Amino acid sequence: MKNIYIETYGCQMNFADSEIVASLLKKEGYELVTEIAEADYVLINTCAIRDNAEQRIRKRLRELRAQQARHSQMRIGILGCMAERLQSQLMVEEENVSFVVGPDAYRRLPEILARVRQLGVKAAETELSTTETYDDIEPVRLGSNGISAYISIMRGCQNYCAYCVVPYTRGRERSRDPETIVAEARSLCEQGYKEVTLLGQNVNSYRWKCDGGEVGFAELMERVAEISPTMRVRFATSHPKDLSDRLLEVMSRHDNICKCIHLPVQSGSDRMLKLMNRHYDSAWYLDRIAAIRRYMPDCSITTDVIAGFCTETEEEHRMTLEMFSKVRYDYAYMFKFSMRPNTYAEKHLKDDVPDEVKTRRLEEIIALQGQIALENNRREVGKVYEVLVEGESHRSKERLFGRNSQNKVIVFDRHEVQPGMYVRVRVVDCTAATLLGELCTQ
Ligand code: SAH
Ligand code: SF4
Ligand code: F3S
Protein backbone atom coordinates (compact mmCIF):
# COMPACT_ATOMS: atom_id res chain seq x y z
CA MET A 1 0.00 0.00 0.00
CA LYS A 2 2.88 2.36 -0.60
CA ASN A 3 2.90 2.99 -4.33
CA ILE A 4 2.55 6.61 -5.40
CA TYR A 5 1.94 8.11 -8.79
CA ILE A 6 2.46 11.87 -9.27
CA GLU A 7 0.93 13.92 -12.06
CA THR A 8 1.94 17.58 -12.43
CA TYR A 9 0.22 20.57 -14.06
CA GLY A 10 1.05 24.27 -14.16
CA CYS A 11 4.34 26.12 -14.01
CA GLN A 12 7.94 24.99 -13.54
CA MET A 13 7.61 25.65 -9.82
CA ASN A 14 4.96 22.98 -9.57
CA PHE A 15 7.24 20.53 -11.37
CA ALA A 16 10.01 21.41 -8.91
CA ASP A 17 7.59 20.92 -6.01
CA SER A 18 6.59 17.47 -7.25
CA GLU A 19 10.26 16.51 -7.02
CA ILE A 20 10.28 17.65 -3.39
CA VAL A 21 7.11 15.67 -2.70
CA ALA A 22 8.66 12.58 -4.28
CA SER A 23 11.74 12.99 -2.11
CA LEU A 24 9.74 13.46 1.10
CA LEU A 25 7.66 10.35 0.44
CA LYS A 26 10.55 8.17 -0.70
CA LYS A 27 12.25 8.85 2.60
CA GLU A 28 9.21 7.36 4.33
CA GLY A 29 9.37 4.18 2.29
CA TYR A 30 6.93 5.07 -0.46
CA GLU A 31 7.66 3.83 -3.95
CA LEU A 32 7.22 5.93 -7.10
CA VAL A 33 5.44 4.10 -9.92
CA THR A 34 5.07 5.12 -13.55
CA GLU A 35 1.86 3.18 -14.20
CA ILE A 36 -1.22 4.72 -12.68
CA ALA A 37 -2.89 1.29 -12.46
CA GLU A 38 -0.26 0.26 -9.87
CA ALA A 39 -0.80 3.30 -7.67
CA ASP A 40 -2.25 3.17 -4.18
CA TYR A 41 -2.06 6.96 -4.06
CA VAL A 42 -2.46 9.26 -7.05
CA LEU A 43 -1.15 12.75 -6.29
CA ILE A 44 -2.21 15.50 -8.68
CA ASN A 45 -0.19 18.68 -8.36
CA THR A 46 -2.51 21.36 -9.70
CA CYS A 47 -2.58 24.87 -11.13
CA ALA A 48 -5.21 27.55 -10.54
CA ILE A 49 -3.89 30.36 -12.72
CA ARG A 50 -6.81 30.39 -15.18
CA ASP A 51 -10.24 28.81 -15.08
CA ASN A 52 -9.37 26.41 -17.89
CA ALA A 53 -6.42 25.07 -15.85
CA GLU A 54 -8.89 24.09 -13.12
CA GLN A 55 -11.42 22.65 -15.56
CA ARG A 56 -8.72 20.40 -16.93
CA ILE A 57 -8.07 18.96 -13.46
CA ARG A 58 -11.79 18.37 -12.86
CA LYS A 59 -12.00 16.52 -16.16
CA ARG A 60 -9.00 14.44 -15.16
CA LEU A 61 -10.69 13.55 -11.87
CA ARG A 62 -13.74 12.29 -13.77
CA GLU A 63 -11.50 10.13 -15.95
CA LEU A 64 -9.82 8.67 -12.87
CA ARG A 65 -13.11 7.25 -11.60
CA ALA A 66 -12.70 4.29 -13.95
CA GLN A 67 -9.23 3.58 -12.51
CA GLN A 68 -10.62 3.74 -8.99
CA ALA A 69 -13.39 1.32 -9.87
CA ARG A 70 -10.74 -1.21 -10.89
CA HIS A 71 -8.54 -0.59 -7.87
CA SER A 72 -10.75 0.11 -4.87
CA GLN A 73 -7.77 0.90 -2.62
CA MET A 74 -6.64 3.79 -4.82
CA ARG A 75 -6.75 7.16 -3.03
CA ILE A 76 -6.57 10.44 -4.90
CA GLY A 77 -5.01 13.57 -3.41
CA ILE A 78 -4.89 17.10 -4.79
CA LEU A 79 -1.74 19.14 -4.20
CA GLY A 80 -0.66 22.59 -5.34
CA CYS A 81 -2.48 25.79 -6.14
CA MET A 82 -5.99 24.45 -6.67
CA ALA A 83 -5.75 22.62 -3.33
CA GLU A 84 -4.77 25.86 -1.65
CA ARG A 85 -7.47 27.89 -3.36
CA LEU A 86 -10.39 25.54 -2.72
CA GLN A 87 -9.22 23.71 0.41
CA SER A 88 -11.63 21.14 1.85
CA GLN A 89 -14.46 22.41 -0.37
CA LEU A 90 -12.71 20.55 -3.19
CA MET A 91 -13.39 17.21 -1.47
CA VAL A 92 -17.06 18.07 -1.24
CA GLU A 93 -17.27 19.03 -4.90
CA GLU A 94 -15.15 16.13 -6.10
CA GLU A 95 -16.20 13.02 -4.23
CA ASN A 96 -13.31 10.83 -5.36
CA VAL A 97 -10.71 13.11 -3.76
CA SER A 98 -9.51 11.86 -0.36
CA PHE A 99 -7.09 14.59 0.64
CA VAL A 100 -5.97 18.10 -0.33
CA VAL A 101 -2.55 19.44 0.60
CA GLY A 102 -1.35 23.00 -0.10
CA PRO A 103 2.14 23.99 -1.34
CA ASP A 104 3.56 24.77 2.12
CA ALA A 105 2.29 21.61 3.83
CA TYR A 106 4.07 18.86 1.89
CA ARG A 107 6.11 17.76 4.92
CA ARG A 108 2.84 16.53 6.42
CA LEU A 109 2.11 14.25 3.45
CA PRO A 110 3.41 10.97 4.99
CA GLU A 111 1.25 11.53 8.05
CA ILE A 112 -1.80 12.48 5.93
CA LEU A 113 -1.45 9.45 3.66
CA ALA A 114 -1.24 7.17 6.69
CA ARG A 115 -4.25 8.83 8.33
CA VAL A 116 -6.38 8.58 5.20
CA ARG A 117 -5.49 4.91 4.83
CA GLN A 118 -5.74 3.79 8.46
CA LEU A 119 -8.75 5.77 9.60
CA GLY A 120 -10.54 5.84 6.28
CA VAL A 121 -11.11 9.59 6.65
CA LYS A 122 -10.62 12.56 4.36
CA ALA A 123 -7.97 15.15 5.21
CA ALA A 124 -7.11 18.73 4.27
CA GLU A 125 -3.88 20.51 5.14
CA THR A 126 -3.60 23.93 3.55
CA GLU A 127 -1.88 26.21 5.99
CA LEU A 128 0.54 28.62 4.29
CA SER A 129 3.90 29.38 5.87
CA THR A 130 6.11 32.46 5.94
CA THR A 131 9.30 30.44 6.28
CA GLU A 132 8.99 27.06 4.55
CA THR A 133 11.44 26.70 1.62
CA TYR A 134 12.12 22.93 1.78
CA ASP A 135 15.78 23.92 1.65
CA ASP A 136 17.00 20.72 3.30
CA ILE A 137 15.18 18.42 0.86
CA GLU A 138 17.17 17.04 -2.03
CA PRO A 139 14.59 16.67 -4.82
CA VAL A 140 14.15 13.35 -6.64
CA ARG A 141 14.55 14.35 -10.30
CA LEU A 142 11.35 13.13 -11.95
CA GLY A 143 11.27 12.44 -15.68
CA SER A 144 14.70 14.00 -15.91
CA ASN A 145 16.97 13.67 -18.92
CA GLY A 146 19.96 13.85 -16.56
CA ILE A 147 21.03 17.02 -18.37
CA SER A 148 18.97 19.89 -17.01
CA ALA A 149 17.25 20.43 -13.67
CA TYR A 150 15.21 23.06 -11.82
CA ILE A 151 16.20 24.59 -8.50
CA SER A 152 13.62 26.59 -6.51
CA ILE A 153 15.34 29.61 -4.99
CA MET A 154 12.31 31.23 -3.43
CA ARG A 155 8.60 30.63 -2.81
CA GLY A 156 5.46 32.70 -2.80
CA CYS A 157 4.69 36.10 -4.23
CA GLN A 158 3.33 39.29 -2.76
CA ASN A 159 3.16 41.51 -5.78
CA TYR A 160 -0.61 41.16 -5.97
CA CYS A 161 -1.02 41.81 -9.64
CA ALA A 162 -4.74 42.53 -9.90
CA TYR A 163 -5.55 39.51 -12.08
CA CYS A 164 -3.39 36.94 -10.33
CA VAL A 165 -4.26 34.14 -7.94
CA VAL A 166 -0.66 33.19 -7.06
CA PRO A 167 -0.26 35.37 -3.93
CA TYR A 168 -3.30 33.58 -2.51
CA THR A 169 -2.18 30.07 -3.45
CA ARG A 170 1.52 30.38 -2.68
CA GLY A 171 1.63 32.81 0.22
CA ARG A 172 4.26 35.37 1.22
CA GLU A 173 7.47 35.71 -0.70
CA ARG A 174 10.49 34.11 0.99
CA SER A 175 13.99 33.38 -0.23
CA ARG A 176 15.95 30.21 0.35
CA ASP A 177 19.37 30.09 2.01
CA PRO A 178 21.95 30.64 -0.77
CA GLU A 179 24.31 28.05 0.74
CA THR A 180 21.72 25.34 0.15
CA ILE A 181 21.06 26.56 -3.40
CA VAL A 182 24.75 26.52 -4.30
CA ALA A 183 25.16 23.09 -2.67
CA GLU A 184 22.24 21.72 -4.70
CA ALA A 185 23.65 23.14 -7.93
CA ARG A 186 27.09 21.74 -7.13
CA SER A 187 25.66 18.32 -6.44
CA LEU A 188 23.81 18.38 -9.78
CA CYS A 189 27.05 19.34 -11.52
CA GLU A 190 28.85 16.43 -9.88
CA GLN A 191 26.10 14.10 -11.06
CA GLY A 192 26.79 15.22 -14.62
CA TYR A 193 23.99 17.76 -15.10
CA LYS A 194 24.85 20.46 -17.64
CA GLU A 195 22.16 23.03 -16.96
CA VAL A 196 20.26 24.39 -13.96
CA THR A 197 17.31 26.77 -13.99
CA LEU A 198 16.80 28.91 -10.89
CA LEU A 199 13.09 29.36 -10.22
CA GLY A 200 10.89 31.92 -8.50
CA GLN A 201 7.82 34.03 -9.34
CA ASN A 202 10.01 37.13 -9.27
CA VAL A 203 13.64 36.07 -9.02
CA ASN A 204 14.86 39.66 -9.11
CA SER A 205 13.57 40.22 -5.60
CA TYR A 206 15.57 37.27 -4.21
CA ARG A 207 17.22 38.47 -0.99
CA TRP A 208 18.99 36.70 1.85
CA LYS A 209 20.32 38.46 4.91
CA CYS A 210 23.39 37.01 6.59
CA ASP A 211 26.22 38.13 8.86
CA GLY A 212 28.35 39.47 6.07
CA GLY A 213 25.46 41.54 4.64
CA GLU A 214 22.97 40.60 1.97
CA VAL A 215 22.92 38.25 -0.99
CA GLY A 216 20.79 39.50 -3.89
CA PHE A 217 19.86 37.69 -7.09
CA ALA A 218 22.85 38.98 -9.07
CA GLU A 219 25.28 37.67 -6.41
CA LEU A 220 23.45 34.36 -6.23
CA MET A 221 23.62 33.95 -10.02
CA GLU A 222 27.31 34.70 -9.95
CA ARG A 223 27.95 32.09 -7.27
CA VAL A 224 26.01 29.43 -9.16
CA ALA A 225 27.69 30.35 -12.47
CA GLU A 226 31.13 30.00 -10.87
CA ILE A 227 30.54 26.36 -9.90
CA SER A 228 31.61 25.18 -13.35
CA PRO A 229 32.11 26.90 -16.72
CA THR A 230 30.49 23.90 -18.43
CA MET A 231 27.27 24.06 -16.44
CA ARG A 232 24.74 26.47 -17.90
CA VAL A 233 22.57 28.61 -15.67
CA ARG A 234 19.10 29.87 -16.56
CA PHE A 235 16.42 31.59 -14.50
CA ALA A 236 12.71 32.43 -14.51
CA THR A 237 10.76 34.63 -14.02
CA SER A 238 11.88 38.25 -14.01
CA HIS A 239 9.54 41.06 -13.03
CA PRO A 240 10.25 44.15 -15.14
CA LYS A 241 9.97 46.43 -12.11
CA ASP A 242 12.96 44.75 -10.44
CA LEU A 243 15.26 43.83 -13.34
CA SER A 244 18.55 45.47 -12.36
CA ASP A 245 21.56 46.58 -14.40
CA ARG A 246 23.67 44.77 -11.83
CA LEU A 247 22.13 41.44 -12.95
CA LEU A 248 22.59 42.30 -16.63
CA GLU A 249 26.21 43.10 -15.95
CA VAL A 250 26.77 39.76 -14.18
CA MET A 251 25.02 37.93 -17.04
CA SER A 252 27.20 39.63 -19.63
CA ARG A 253 30.40 38.59 -17.81
CA HIS A 254 29.63 34.85 -17.61
CA ASP A 255 29.46 32.79 -20.80
CA ASN A 256 27.61 30.01 -19.00
CA ILE A 257 24.76 32.27 -17.85
CA CYS A 258 22.32 31.83 -20.71
CA LYS A 259 21.49 34.85 -22.77
CA CYS A 260 17.74 34.64 -22.47
CA ILE A 261 15.42 36.76 -20.35
CA HIS A 262 11.75 36.08 -19.76
CA LEU A 263 10.22 39.48 -19.03
CA PRO A 264 6.42 39.32 -18.86
CA VAL A 265 4.95 42.54 -20.25
CA GLN A 266 1.22 41.69 -19.72
CA SER A 267 0.07 44.78 -21.67
CA GLY A 268 1.41 47.64 -23.77
CA SER A 269 -1.01 50.17 -22.31
CA ASP A 270 -0.03 52.31 -19.32
CA ARG A 271 -3.59 52.48 -18.06
CA MET A 272 -3.87 48.68 -18.16
CA LEU A 273 -0.49 48.22 -16.45
CA LYS A 274 -1.59 50.54 -13.66
CA LEU A 275 -4.92 48.75 -13.30
CA MET A 276 -3.03 45.46 -13.23
CA ASN A 277 -0.84 46.81 -10.39
CA ARG A 278 2.36 45.99 -12.24
CA HIS A 279 4.38 48.96 -10.89
CA TYR A 280 5.93 49.90 -14.26
CA ASP A 281 4.77 51.67 -17.39
CA SER A 282 5.58 51.05 -21.03
CA ALA A 283 8.46 53.56 -20.98
CA TRP A 284 10.09 51.79 -18.02
CA TYR A 285 9.60 48.44 -19.72
CA LEU A 286 11.19 49.66 -22.96
CA ASP A 287 14.07 51.12 -20.96
CA ARG A 288 14.70 47.66 -19.46
CA ILE A 289 14.62 46.13 -22.95
CA ALA A 290 17.16 48.73 -24.11
CA ALA A 291 19.35 47.93 -21.10
CA ILE A 292 19.26 44.20 -21.92
CA ARG A 293 20.31 44.92 -25.49
CA ARG A 294 23.04 47.30 -24.36
CA TYR A 295 24.66 44.71 -22.09
CA MET A 296 23.94 41.68 -24.30
CA PRO A 297 23.11 42.41 -27.94
CA ASP A 298 22.63 38.68 -28.56
CA CYS A 299 20.20 38.09 -25.67
CA SER A 300 16.82 36.61 -26.56
CA ILE A 301 13.75 38.09 -24.88
CA THR A 302 10.48 36.29 -24.22
CA THR A 303 7.28 37.41 -22.54
CA ASP A 304 3.78 36.72 -21.18
CA VAL A 305 0.78 38.78 -22.24
CA ILE A 306 -2.90 38.95 -21.29
CA ALA A 307 -5.56 39.84 -23.87
CA GLY A 308 -8.80 41.44 -22.76
CA PHE A 309 -8.12 42.40 -19.15
CA CYS A 310 -10.96 44.33 -17.44
CA THR A 311 -12.06 47.44 -19.37
CA GLU A 312 -9.35 47.05 -22.04
CA THR A 313 -10.28 49.16 -25.09
CA GLU A 314 -9.47 48.51 -28.73
CA GLU A 315 -6.90 51.31 -28.59
CA GLU A 316 -5.23 49.75 -25.55
CA HIS A 317 -5.14 46.39 -27.27
CA ARG A 318 -3.39 48.06 -30.23
CA MET A 319 -0.79 49.38 -27.78
CA THR A 320 -0.02 45.78 -26.86
CA LEU A 321 0.44 44.93 -30.54
CA GLU A 322 2.72 47.96 -30.87
CA MET A 323 4.76 46.80 -27.89
CA PHE A 324 5.21 43.43 -29.59
CA SER A 325 6.34 45.14 -32.79
CA LYS A 326 8.82 47.29 -30.88
CA VAL A 327 10.38 44.59 -28.72
CA ARG A 328 10.23 41.77 -31.30
CA TYR A 329 10.07 38.91 -28.80
CA ASP A 330 11.63 35.57 -29.61
CA TYR A 331 8.79 33.74 -27.90
CA ALA A 332 5.60 34.66 -26.05
CA TYR A 333 3.09 32.90 -23.82
CA MET A 334 -0.20 34.51 -24.75
CA PHE A 335 -3.39 34.27 -22.68
CA LYS A 336 -6.98 35.38 -22.64
CA PHE A 337 -7.84 37.09 -19.37
CA SER A 338 -9.62 34.75 -16.97
CA MET A 339 -11.26 36.28 -13.88
CA ARG A 340 -10.03 34.55 -10.72
CA PRO A 341 -11.99 34.48 -7.46
CA ASN A 342 -10.75 36.72 -4.63
CA THR A 343 -8.28 38.70 -6.70
CA TYR A 344 -8.34 42.50 -6.73
CA ALA A 345 -9.86 42.35 -10.22
CA GLU A 346 -12.71 40.18 -9.06
CA LYS A 347 -13.46 42.43 -6.10
CA HIS A 348 -13.13 45.79 -7.79
CA LEU A 349 -13.16 45.53 -11.59
CA LYS A 350 -15.53 44.36 -14.28
CA ASP A 351 -14.76 41.47 -16.61
CA ASP A 352 -16.46 43.44 -19.37
CA VAL A 353 -14.57 42.47 -22.52
CA PRO A 354 -16.82 39.95 -24.29
CA ASP A 355 -15.30 36.53 -24.78
CA GLU A 356 -15.34 36.76 -28.57
CA VAL A 357 -13.48 40.08 -28.37
CA LYS A 358 -10.87 38.55 -26.04
CA THR A 359 -10.47 35.67 -28.48
CA ARG A 360 -10.07 37.96 -31.47
CA ARG A 361 -7.52 40.14 -29.66
CA LEU A 362 -5.59 37.08 -28.57
CA GLU A 363 -5.57 35.76 -32.13
CA GLU A 364 -4.24 39.09 -33.39
CA ILE A 365 -1.39 38.95 -30.89
CA ILE A 366 -0.64 35.32 -31.79
CA ALA A 367 -0.60 36.10 -35.52
CA LEU A 368 1.73 39.08 -35.07
CA GLN A 369 4.05 37.15 -32.76
CA GLY A 370 4.19 34.21 -35.20
CA GLN A 371 5.36 36.56 -37.91
CA ILE A 372 7.96 38.21 -35.66
CA ALA A 373 9.32 34.87 -34.43
CA LEU A 374 9.76 33.68 -38.00
CA GLU A 375 11.51 36.90 -39.01
CA ASN A 376 13.79 36.71 -35.96
CA ASN A 377 14.64 33.10 -36.77
CA ARG A 378 15.41 33.92 -40.40
CA ARG A 379 18.05 36.30 -39.14
CA GLU A 380 19.75 33.40 -37.38
CA VAL A 381 20.47 31.58 -40.64
CA GLY A 382 24.22 31.43 -41.22
CA LYS A 383 25.15 31.91 -37.54
CA VAL A 384 27.05 29.30 -35.54
CA TYR A 385 25.92 28.43 -31.99
CA GLU A 386 27.15 26.27 -29.18
CA VAL A 387 24.31 23.82 -28.55
CA LEU A 388 23.69 21.65 -25.51
CA VAL A 389 22.27 18.43 -26.93
CA GLU A 390 19.15 17.21 -25.12
CA GLY A 391 17.90 14.21 -27.08
CA GLU A 392 16.46 12.73 -30.24
CA SER A 393 14.25 14.87 -32.42
CA HIS A 394 10.59 13.85 -32.16
CA ARG A 395 10.38 13.36 -35.92
CA SER A 396 13.46 11.23 -36.60
CA LYS A 397 15.94 9.08 -34.71
CA GLU A 398 18.63 10.22 -37.12
CA ARG A 399 18.36 13.76 -35.82
CA LEU A 400 19.08 15.31 -32.44
CA PHE A 401 17.84 18.50 -30.84
CA GLY A 402 19.35 20.87 -28.35
CA ARG A 403 19.26 24.51 -27.35
CA ASN A 404 21.59 27.42 -27.76
CA SER A 405 22.25 29.88 -24.98
CA GLN A 406 19.26 31.93 -26.23
CA ASN A 407 17.05 28.90 -25.48
CA LYS A 408 16.18 28.35 -29.14
CA VAL A 409 15.67 24.76 -30.20
CA ILE A 410 18.05 23.61 -32.97
CA VAL A 411 17.62 20.29 -34.81
CA PHE A 412 20.55 18.69 -36.66
CA ASP A 413 21.84 15.35 -38.04
CA ARG A 414 23.10 13.01 -35.36
CA HIS A 415 26.56 11.87 -36.58
CA GLU A 416 28.49 10.63 -33.50
CA VAL A 417 26.94 13.11 -31.10
CA GLN A 418 25.32 12.05 -27.79
CA PRO A 419 22.80 13.88 -25.56
CA GLY A 420 24.58 15.90 -22.87
CA MET A 421 27.38 17.02 -25.20
CA TYR A 422 28.11 20.57 -26.29
CA VAL A 423 28.49 20.90 -30.06
CA ARG A 424 28.83 23.75 -32.54
CA VAL A 425 26.00 23.97 -35.02
CA ARG A 426 25.52 26.26 -38.03
CA VAL A 427 21.93 27.39 -38.64
CA VAL A 428 20.89 26.63 -42.24
CA ASP A 429 17.11 27.00 -42.18
CA CYS A 430 14.21 27.66 -39.81
CA THR A 431 10.51 27.66 -39.02
CA ALA A 432 8.82 30.07 -36.56
CA ALA A 433 9.48 27.59 -33.74
CA THR A 434 12.69 25.76 -34.63
CA LEU A 435 16.11 26.33 -36.13
CA LEU A 436 17.53 23.67 -38.47
CA GLY A 437 21.28 23.27 -38.38
CA GLU A 438 24.36 21.40 -39.52
CA LEU A 439 27.06 20.15 -37.20
CA CYS A 440 30.33 22.10 -37.57
CA THR A 441 33.21 19.69 -37.85
CA GLN A 442 36.02 22.01 -36.77
N1 SAH B 1 5.29 35.43 -11.69
C1 SAH B 1 5.24 35.51 -13.08
C2 SAH B 1 3.99 34.95 -13.73
C3 SAH B 1 3.32 33.76 -13.18
S1 SAH B 1 1.80 33.33 -13.91
C4 SAH B 1 5.32 36.97 -13.44
O1 SAH B 1 4.76 37.80 -12.78
O2 SAH B 1 5.92 37.23 -14.42
C5 SAH B 1 2.21 33.21 -15.62
C6 SAH B 1 1.43 34.10 -16.50
O3 SAH B 1 0.05 33.77 -16.49
C7 SAH B 1 1.42 35.57 -16.13
O4 SAH B 1 2.60 36.22 -16.52
C8 SAH B 1 0.21 36.09 -16.85
O5 SAH B 1 0.53 36.50 -18.16
C9 SAH B 1 -0.70 34.89 -16.90
N2 SAH B 1 -1.85 35.04 -16.01
C10 SAH B 1 -1.84 35.16 -14.66
N3 SAH B 1 -3.09 35.31 -14.19
C11 SAH B 1 -3.92 35.29 -15.27
C12 SAH B 1 -5.34 35.41 -15.44
N4 SAH B 1 -6.14 35.59 -14.42
N5 SAH B 1 -5.83 35.33 -16.71
C13 SAH B 1 -5.01 35.15 -17.76
N6 SAH B 1 -3.68 35.04 -17.65
C14 SAH B 1 -3.13 35.11 -16.42
FE1 SF4 C 1 1.17 36.75 -10.15
FE2 SF4 C 1 2.16 39.17 -10.36
FE3 SF4 C 1 3.15 37.47 -8.56
FE4 SF4 C 1 3.61 37.07 -11.14
S1 SF4 C 1 4.34 38.83 -9.93
S2 SF4 C 1 2.96 35.56 -9.65
S3 SF4 C 1 1.72 37.78 -12.07
S4 SF4 C 1 1.11 38.35 -8.56
FE1 F3S D 1 -0.29 27.66 -11.61
FE2 F3S D 1 0.35 27.83 -9.10
FE3 F3S D 1 2.23 27.93 -10.94
S1 F3S D 1 -1.40 28.77 -10.04
S2 F3S D 1 1.19 28.88 -12.65
S3 F3S D 1 0.94 26.22 -10.53
S4 F3S D 1 2.23 29.01 -9.02
Side-chain angles (χ1 to χ4, degrees), residues 157-161 163-167 201-202 239 266 278:
C157 181
Q158 58 210 45
N159 285 308
Y160 292 98
C161 299
Y163 49 81
C164 187
V165 77
V166 172
Q201 294 294 356
N202 173 13
H239 194 305
Q266 313 301 3
R278 289 289 287 178

Side-chain angles (χ1 to χ4, degrees), residues 61-121:
L61 284 171
R62 287 194 294 276
E63 286 166 13
L64 286 175
R65 283 194 199 138
Q67 297 279 352
Q68 281 181 303
R70 262 174 261 139
H71 180 3
S72 64
Q73 293 304 314
M74 183 186 280
R75 299 285 178 269
I76 297 180
I78 300 291
L79 316 182
C81 292
M82 203 175 159
E84 191 60 48
R85 194 179 84 69
L86 293 163
Q87 312 202 342
S88 52
Q89 183 196 331
L90 189 55
M91 296 186 295
V92 178
E93 293 171 7
E94 304 288 343
E95 278 174 30
N96 57 340
V97 172
S98 298
F99 53 100
V100 294
V101 183
D104 286 346
Y106 295 148
R107 285 184 203 269
R108 313 251 343 240
L109 267 167
E111 175 198 329
I112 292 165
L113 262 52
R115 185 147 41 104
V116 165
R117 176 73 61 201
Q118 284 154 16
L119 307 177
V121 294

